[in-house]
Amino acid sequence: MLKYIHSHLRWKIFLSYMVVIFVGVVVLATATEFVAPAAFNRHVSDMETVMQEVASGQMPAIDLQKSLFASFHAAVSEAIAFSVLAASVAAIIAGYLVTRQLISPIHDMMEASNRIADGHYDERVGVPGNPATGEIDELAQLAVSFNRMASALEKNEEIRRRLIGDVSHELRTPLATIKGYMEGLIDGVLPPEPGTFQKVRREASRLQRLVDDLQELSRVEAGSYILQKCGMPVMALVEATVARLAPQFAEKGVALETDIPSGLPEVVVDEDRIGQVMLNLVGNALQYTPPGRTVRIRARRTQNKVQITIEDTGVGIPPEHLPHIFDRFYRVDKSRSRAGGGSGIGLTIAKHLVEAHSGRIWAESEGRGKGSMFIFTLPVR
Ligand code: ADP
């Protein structure tokens, strides 16, 4: 019962009214008890005087009733006036204390929201009640939501700040290269021939890819896309990727093999999004595998998931880089990846998309030159 009241604001407000009324009534009764006898004593002595005056003939008997009534009325009025005054003061004090108790979380939240609006994103409010025992009312729930909102704002602000830093850093290199070529051309140091213009164009394309990837990343990070999930066979997913990339594999002379068992259950995915993940991982495998080697796509069932592995026999990833490989703009070999047009965002996007499907993605590698494996899980129907 007490827990129920603790966790419902309307019952608390109702009880607070009851408390105020109770305090008022108790004070009214107590004050009447104390004030009434004194008032009556005083007025009874007036009545005695009147009665003596009537008995001695100083006052006509006809005025007796009127005088007695006047004294009685004065005694009652005085008792009521004092008691009501005392009860009102007590009710006001009780009302103030109870209301302050109820309002203080709202007041805290108001102050915290003002501080957040001023840019202090680390601001949080205390949660009234006892969340451990589940005794949290609507105000406490509001405080919890408020803190969640503040954390989200703080995280977004942190992402925004880091993103601006990273993006400026990433834009600087191609822009400096383009500027260098243009200055070379203007000063006559570089010959105005197709080769030079090709180099400028390559840098511009890199910038464009970076901007496209950033746009995609911001969409994915903000979660501003809708997953249109449906059940589909793993084989279809893999075949679509193979069909898209087979020409590039053939051109580079890297073999692409698949090993998909026939009895696998269907996975529930957004075909385009997971297709994007596959393209990214298999595309990376191709990029980091020298000609003459092999890339293999495997799938197998684990509990209630299907696990897809893209295994290459390429440059590998040193163990110290493995934990960072999915971070935005992280590249193991910066100059090589950049030269290959890599923005270092592909894996970050892939991670977001796999996690949006309640899956997990990770990388394994024995080290430099020993190939890499990228593994991710997908939910089954
Ligand atoms: P990028 O566009 O630079 O390839 P990614 O986010 O896709 O960006 O990859 C981040 C980094 O991870 C790459 O720069 C590369 O150093 C490393 N990497 C990704 N895939 C592989 C792989 N199959 N083999 C070796 N290194 C890889």
Side-chain angles (χ1 to χ4, degrees):
M1 176 68 182
L2 217 66
K3 189 173 162 187
Y4 183 80
I5 291 174
H6 267 297
S7 51
H8 286 83
L9 188 59
R10 66 168 178 276
W11 282 109
K12 279 188 181 172
I13 293 176
F14 176 74
L15 266 186
S16 70
Y17 288 148
M18 291 295 125
V19 167
V20 172
I21 292 172
F22 179 74
V23 169
V25 168
V26 167
V27 173
L28 187 69
T30 320
T32 311
E33 188 81 3
F34 280 104
V35 176
F40 273 91
N41 273 346
R42 225 171 309 118
H43 292 286
V44 163
S45 63
D46 287 350
M47 290 181 211
E48 280 171 357
T49 321
V50 169
M51 282 163 83
Q52 276 164 13
E53 282 174 0
V54 170
S56 63
Q58 283 171 306
M59 187 188 282
I62 194 88
D63 289 342
L64 175 64
Q65 196 183 356
K66 234 196 261 168
S67 292
L68 284 179
F69 181 74
S71 297
F72 177 76
H73 187 258
V76 170
S77 302
E78 194 183 313
I80 288 180
F82 272 114
S83 310
V84 165
L85 189 72
S88 304
V89 170
I92 288 172
I93 293 172
Y96 174 75
L97 292 177
V98 170
T99 320
R100 201 177 61 166
Q101 182 86 2
L102 282 177
I103 292 297
S104 83
I106 298 180
H107 193 256
D108 288 353
M109 271 183 259
M110 203 179 72
E111 287 196 338
S113 61
N114 282 336
R115 280 195 292 271
I116 288 178
D118 290 340
H120 301 286
Y121 293 99
D122 55 347
E123 196 65 46
R124 298 290 180 277
V125 291
V127 178
N130 190 352
T133 58
E135 287 177 12
I136 64 168
D137 62 13
E138 288 86 344
L139 276 182
Q141 285 165 22
L142 184 62
V144 171
S145 308
F146 183 94
N147 285 344
R148 267 196 22 226
M149 180 198 72
S151 303
L153 283 175
E154 188 179 17
K155 199 173 133 216
N156 280 349
E157 174 62 13
E158 172 62 22
I159 289 175
R160 190 186 68 84
R161 206 173 300 147
R162 269 207 346 246
L163 186 65
I164 291 177
D166 290 347
V167 169
S168 357
H169 178 76
E170 291 300 318
L171 292 178
R172 205 165 287 132
T173 313
L175 281 177
T177 315
I178 291 175
K179 192 167 165 232
Y181 283 132
M182 297 316 276
E183 282 171 357
L185 279 168
I186 292 167
D187 298 345
V189 182
L190 284 176
E193 58 187 27
T196 314
F197 296 126
Q198 282 292 348
K199 284 177 187 154
V200 175
R201 189 171 153 214
R202 204 169 49 230
E203 290 303 319
S205 306
R206 189 163 301 161
L207 273 177
Q208 180 160 24
R209 173 157 174 223
L210 177 64
V211 171
D212 289 348
D213 281 356
L214 275 173
Q215 196 179 19
E216 178 65 9
L217 178 68
S218 81
R219 234 197 325 255
V220 170
E221 277 189 335
S224 61
Y225 60 95
I226 298 167
L227 287 180
Q228 294 184 329
K229 292 191 200 171
C230 61
M232 67 178 299
V234 180
M235 185 61 101
L237 207 60
V238 173
E239 274 172 354
T241 313
V242 171
R244 286 275 297 276
L245 291 175
Q248 278 138 279
F249 271 83
E251 192 185 329
K252 189 171 175 184
V254 176
L256 180 57
E257 294 175 0
T258 58
D259 172 13
I260 316 293
S262 53
L264 280 182
E266 286 195 339
V267 283
V268 184
V269 295
D270 180 319
E271 188 180 350
D272 287 347
R273 298 296 179 176
I274 292 303
Q276 198 179 342
V277 173
M278 292 283 295
L279 270 182
N280 215 306
L281 297 181
V282 181
N284 274 352
L286 171 64
Q287 185 180 347
Y288 297 104
T289 302
R293 306 262 183 94
T294 309
V295 170
R296 192 169 293 117
I297 306 175
R298 286 185 282 127
R300 69 183 179 92
R301 176 156 196 176
T302 58
Q303 289 157 359
N304 55 347
K305 303 262 178 199
V306 162
Q307 186 170 301
I308 298 182
T309 305
I310 289 109
E311 184 179 6
D312 66 52
T313 44
V315 298
I317 303 167
E320 67 273 20
H321 292 283
L322 276 177
H324 308 290
I325 203 100
F326 293 94
D327 293 351
R328 192 200 296 141
F329 298 123
Y330 195 86
R331 304 177 185 97
V332 174
D333 185 342
K334 295 199 172 19
S335 54
R336 179 173 1 178
S337 170
R338 247 197 212 114
S343 60
I345 299 179
L347 286 180
T348 318
I349 294 176
K351 184 166 191 274
H352 274 285
L353 291 176
V354 169
E355 285 174 358
H357 282 81
S358 319
R360 212 165 72 78
I361 182 167
W362 69 98
E364 291 175 10
S365 173
E366 300 277 296
R368 208 176 279 282
K370 300 205 173 130
S372 327
M373 276 204 290
F374 283 82
I375 306 147
F376 66 100
T377 59
L378 291 174
V380 298
R381 193 189 274 284

